[in-house]
Amino acid sequence: MADPDPIIEVRGLVTRFGERTIHDGLDLTVRRGEVLGLVGGSGSGKSVLMRTILGLLRPSAGTIRLLGADLAALSREKLVALRGRTGVLFQDAALFSTLTVAENAQVPMRERFNWPRSLLAEMACLKIALVGLPEDARDKYPSELSGGMRKRAGLARSIAIDPEVLFLDEPTAGLDPIAAAAFDELILQLSRTLGLTVVMITHDLDSLMRITDRVAALINGKAVVAPIDELRRLDDPWLRQYFGGPRGRAALEAGHLAG
Amino acid sequence: MSATLKAERQGDQAVVTGAGTWLVDQVGWLAVRLRRLPVRLAGVRRVSLDLGGIERLDTSGAWLIARTERRLQAAGLEVTTAPPQGPGDADLLQHVRSLPMAHPRLAQPPGAVVALLGRIGRAMEEAGRLAVALLGFFGAIFLRTVAALARPRQIRWTALAHHVEQTGLGAVGITALLSFLIGLVMAWQGATQLVRFGADIFTVDLLAIAVLRELGVLLTAIIVAGRTASAFTAQIGAMVLNEEIDAMRVIGIDPIDTLVLPRFFALLLAMPILTFIADASALLGGAMVVLFELNIPWVQMVGRFGEVATLTHLLVGLVKAPVFAFAIALIGCWNGLRVERNAESVGRMTTQSVVASIFLVIVVDAVFSILFVRLGI
């Protein structure tokens, strides 16, 4: 699959923890502007893959190009600069618990730019408005927020300095169906209006149906990438169980009715 | 690649031209320039923002454009915008314009005096609330102890034994070593002073009385406070965090019976033994100095020690051990149960346990000192 301008290019990735091989020659290309879902059974290495692409873990073998730069060849400074162009929403939002929502959103800006206080405050307001949080959430602490609001606040921080690619680790896990659907809409809207590339780990079949352009399934240490409709027709035992189970069928039917 | 900004005026009309990459890293200086725009364009009635030359735009840049439009309109100007031409840029700008954006409130910090008074007031209120809560916890422990003694078969002997091992046996090494060293240092310091008066032998008096009455038990209490109060808080706190306490309650297990009482009585048992070990080690350390540095024969030293070290001195020290143990276990367990459901709280409470239990131990020790003096013991 030739792609002139891939955001992420993983080639022949091997990850081993001791005796256990997690990724065994994994290839993955993420195109600019797409929403890519990442699925796989427990322990199939979804989070490990995300951490490896972010440079938080070193691969045992293989190359990773993030935004055109080879991660292994980067100096510390270059890697820090590259991180400024990526945003991450961790599973439990990983908000700094001693800071308010607005202060959390300001952290990446403070770290990179020498802006006056008023501009920092205004930009934090913008990001908070972008993720659809109400005004009075700005001065609240993470412990005072509901799960859905915490995720939105985490999202505000991860898009604080306008990244080109956004990584989401189970963004809808732990949310009620209404909040989860609203969060899906938000991600879709952000990816469209901001031109964001989104890589999303999820177990939420409704999210996969609703907002992904393509889905990468991690099976036996390799990635099978295709739009979801093609993926469910593939003859693989894990995929058959995944999409053929009662939950999978329900989500697919709902998706087709809605679409 | 960077952004450019130009403003030209002709009579009552003005053209503001923006071009280049209006991205987040350019926002700093653009914001300053654009903020001054309404002032610079004073007297102008119509402004056209020509942004067709903007090649790349992100939310930060779009927000700047929206903010500038809003400000110029607020200043009574007529604004027309030629939006950026990049794919999706016009939509992005439209989206950012549509966001509800109130001006952020920059909270004014209160004056220093007011802030200080506020902190004192809050601390007092908190202290009062905590004192009542601690008293309540004390009462709960008392009631559950009575209930447990009424039905001794329900006492969790296994847990009790486990905690005696953890808090007592586990602390023997460190307590003995530190006491030995402190005894050594004490004797050394005392001896250098007493030698000058030819009163070498009184080093034994100094050591025996100081160690038996105060140092042994105080040292043990401080080690145990650092080691065990923190452990109690962290153990119980982690269980609170994991909703284990709630799980116990719904199953019908009283967390005070299962978690607090075994720790309490384990420490009550272990502390006097540890204190005795600390006394012995400190005296041994002192004896090293007396024997090898002062060259006092051991028969003379032991004789002198026998005269000075009465049972009263030993008991004055030992009787404090269970009281200190009580204070340490009370603070440790109570802070554990007070942990809130966030990870930071465990750390904060653990630190607080150590500080508060050492504080309480020293206060109680002072009360004992006054008491013993008054009683003439």
Side-chain angles (χ1 to χ4, degrees):
Chain A
M1 222 179 324
D3 193 314
D5 183 23
I7 285 266
I8 299 164
E9 205 174 8
V10 180
R11 286 284 163 270
L13 175 69
V14 179
T15 312
R16 282 195 201 92
F17 291 138
E19 292 288 290
R20 242 160 62 86
T21 303
I22 310 282
H23 303 133
D24 188 10
L26 183 146
D27 294 327
L28 177 67
T29 307
V30 182
R31 302 170 189 159
R32 189 171 284 277
E34 76 172 336
V35 178
L36 180 86
L38 203 53
V39 301
S42 299
S44 62
K46 303 179 296 286
S47 295
V48 173
L49 179 60
M50 186 179 99
R51 284 166 176 276
T52 312
I53 293 172
L54 286 167
L56 296 173
L57 288 176
R58 274 192 177 282
S60 308
T63 58
I64 293 162
R65 299 179 70 83
L66 175 60
L67 297 162
D70 185 355
L71 280 188
L74 282 183
S75 66
R76 224 186 103 78
E77 291 74 29
K78 290 256 178 63
L79 188 63
V80 170
L82 197 63
R83 293 238 169 99
R85 296 165 65 194
T86 59
V88 187
L89 173 61
F90 288 98
Q91 198 165 351
D92 294 314
L95 289 167
F96 301 120
S97 54
T98 53
L99 303 179
T100 64
V101 171
E103 287 166 341
N104 261 290
Q106 288 175 17
V107 170
M109 308 175 194
R110 267 180 212 281
E111 211 43 49
R112 261 156 225 279
F113 306 118
N114 193 15
W115 286 348
R117 245 171 63 110
S118 58
L119 182 60
L120 281 172
E122 283 182 284
M123 290 299 276
C125 282
L126 166 72
K127 305 300 167 176
I128 289 166
L130 271 173
V131 297
L133 277 176
E135 263 175 56
D136 61 357
R138 285 194 297 228
D139 299 321
K140 286 192 176 149
Y141 287 91
S143 56
E144 300 170 300
L145 299 178
S146 69
M149 287 171 85
R150 250 204 308 276
K151 297 246 172 169
R152 280 171 190 260
L155 194 60
R157 189 181 70 188
S158 54
I159 61 166
I161 50 174
D162 286 291
E164 291 166 51
V165 52
L166 185 62
F167 294 87
L168 308 170
D169 192 354
E170 305 224 13
T172 53
L175 300 186
D176 68 72
I178 299 170
F183 203 82
D184 282 344
E185 284 307 312
L186 176 66
I187 293 166
L188 195 61
Q189 181 205 19
L190 287 178
S191 78
R192 295 280 181 273
T193 50
L194 313 189
L196 270 174
T197 308
V198 178
V199 178
M200 178 170 75
I201 296 176
T202 189
H203 277 304
D204 189 335
L205 283 154
D206 294 313
S207 297
L208 284 177
M209 284 303 299
R210 181 78 190 88
I211 66 173
T212 55
D213 297 313
R214 293 191 304 158
V215 174
L218 298 191
I219 300 165
N220 300 328
K222 298 202 168 44
V224 182
V225 194
I228 193 161
D229 282 330
E230 278 177 39
L231 207 59
R232 52 189 274 250
R233 273 187 232 110
L234 289 180
D235 189 36
D236 175 272
W238 188 81
L239 283 175
R240 263 206 312 267
Q241 278 186 18
Y242 192 80
F243 292 114
R247 284 155 169 271
R249 274 206 301 275
L252 292 172
E253 277 163 27
H256 279 287
L257 286 179
Chain B
M1 278 203 298
S2 65
T4 59
L5 178 67
K6 212 165 55 193
E8 287 167 357
R9 55 188 294 179
Q10 296 151 341
D12 66 347
Q13 302 216 358
V15 179
V16 176
T17 317
T21 54
W22 282 44
L23 297 181
V24 63
D25 54 349
Q26 302 290 325
V27 161
W29 72 269
L30 282 173
V32 176
R33 290 276 304 275
L34 286 169
R35 185 184 281 277
R36 289 199 223 109
L37 207 57
V39 181
R40 282 184 54 200
L41 297 184
V44 170
R45 294 193 38 214
R46 260 201 294 277
V47 185
S48 77
L49 299 177
D50 179 10
L51 307 171
I54 292 180
E55 292 152 25
R56 290 179 64 197
L57 186 71
D58 62 9
T59 58
S60 312
W63 168 80
L64 265 184
I65 296 170
R67 189 183 77 165
T68 308
E69 287 172 350
R70 220 170 288 182
R71 291 226 171 128
L72 290 172
Q73 276 158 359
L77 281 74
E78 200 177 302
V79 184
T80 48
T81 308
Q85 296 304 309
D89 284 355
D91 291 342
L92 172 61
L93 181 57
Q94 198 49 46
H95 178 61
V96 170
R97 276 193 196 126
S98 71
L99 293 174
M101 237 177 310
H103 204 70
R105 300 170 301 279
L106 289 180
Q108 281 299 318
V113 177
V114 177
L116 182 69
L117 286 175
R119 281 175 59 177
I120 292 173
R122 262 197 298 277
M124 293 300 290
E125 193 193 340
E126 178 77 1
R129 220 171 43 74
L130 288 185
V132 173
L134 185 60
L135 200 66
F137 185 62
F138 184 78
I141 286 177
F142 182 75
L143 286 179
R144 295 312 306 171
T145 307
V146 171
L149 291 179
R151 275 182 295 178
R153 224 184 290 174
Q154 288 199 340
I155 296 176
R156 323 241 157 191
W157 297 107
T158 322
L160 184 71
H162 170 78
H163 287 296
V164 169
E165 187 192 340
Q166 290 285 309
T167 61
L169 203 58
V172 166
I174 186 79
T175 312
L177 179 66
L178 287 183
S179 307
F180 180 84
L181 292 175
I182 293 283
L184 202 98
V185 170
M186 275 265 303
W188 213 302
Q189 295 294 337
T192 41
Q193 301 300 322
L194 292 168
V195 162
R196 283 196 262 173
F197 307 105
D200 316 17
I201 192 67
F202 285 107
T203 307
V204 178
D205 296 46
L206 167 81
L207 209 64
I209 293 174
V211 166
L212 290 182
R213 289 186 75 108
E214 287 291 339
L215 272 182
V217 66
L218 207 54
L219 203 61
T220 311
I222 288 170
I223 293 169
V224 169
R227 221 182 146 267
T228 307
S230 56
F232 284 0
T233 307
Q235 288 160 1
I236 297 177
M239 296 178 82
V240 173
L241 208 59
N242 202 19
E243 293 185 303
E244 286 173 57
I245 307 287
D246 294 338
M248 281 182 183
R249 288 212 173 97
V250 287
I251 295 171
I253 303 170
D254 190 325
I256 292 193
D257 286 355
T258 43
L259 299 177
V260 178
L261 291 188
R263 286 181 169 78
F264 236 87
F265 288 104
L267 204 58
L268 282 180
L269 285 174
M271 265 289 276
I273 302 170
L274 282 177
T275 304
F276 189 78
I277 293 170
D279 285 351
S281 312
L283 290 174
L284 192 69
M288 294 291 138
V289 175
V290 173
L291 287 177
F292 301 115
E293 193 61 26
L294 300 178
N295 292 318
I296 293 172
W298 76 272
V299 181
Q300 198 186 346
M301 183 189 77
V302 171
R304 182 75 201 167
F305 182 74
E307 283 171 39
V308 181
T310 58
L311 189 64
T312 315
H313 290 320
L314 180 68
L315 289 181
V316 161
L318 280 182
V319 80
K320 290 191 270 192
V323 182
F324 290 173
F326 188 87
I328 292 167
L330 187 73
I331 297 281
C333 294
W334 185 54
N335 276 339
L337 288 172
R338 281 170 60 212
V339 162
E340 290 156 32
R341 293 214 47 213
N342 59 67
E344 182 215 348
S345 171
V346 181
R348 198 176 56 235
M349 284 301 164
T350 307
T351 315
Q352 208 189 345
S353 274
V354 177
V355 176
S357 54
I358 291 179
F359 172 79
L360 200 59
V361 160
I362 291 175
V363 169
V364 171
D365 190 50
V367 173
F368 266 117
S369 293
I370 297 168
L371 191 71
F372 287 140
V373 169
R374 289 292 161 113
L375 292 176
I377 300 174

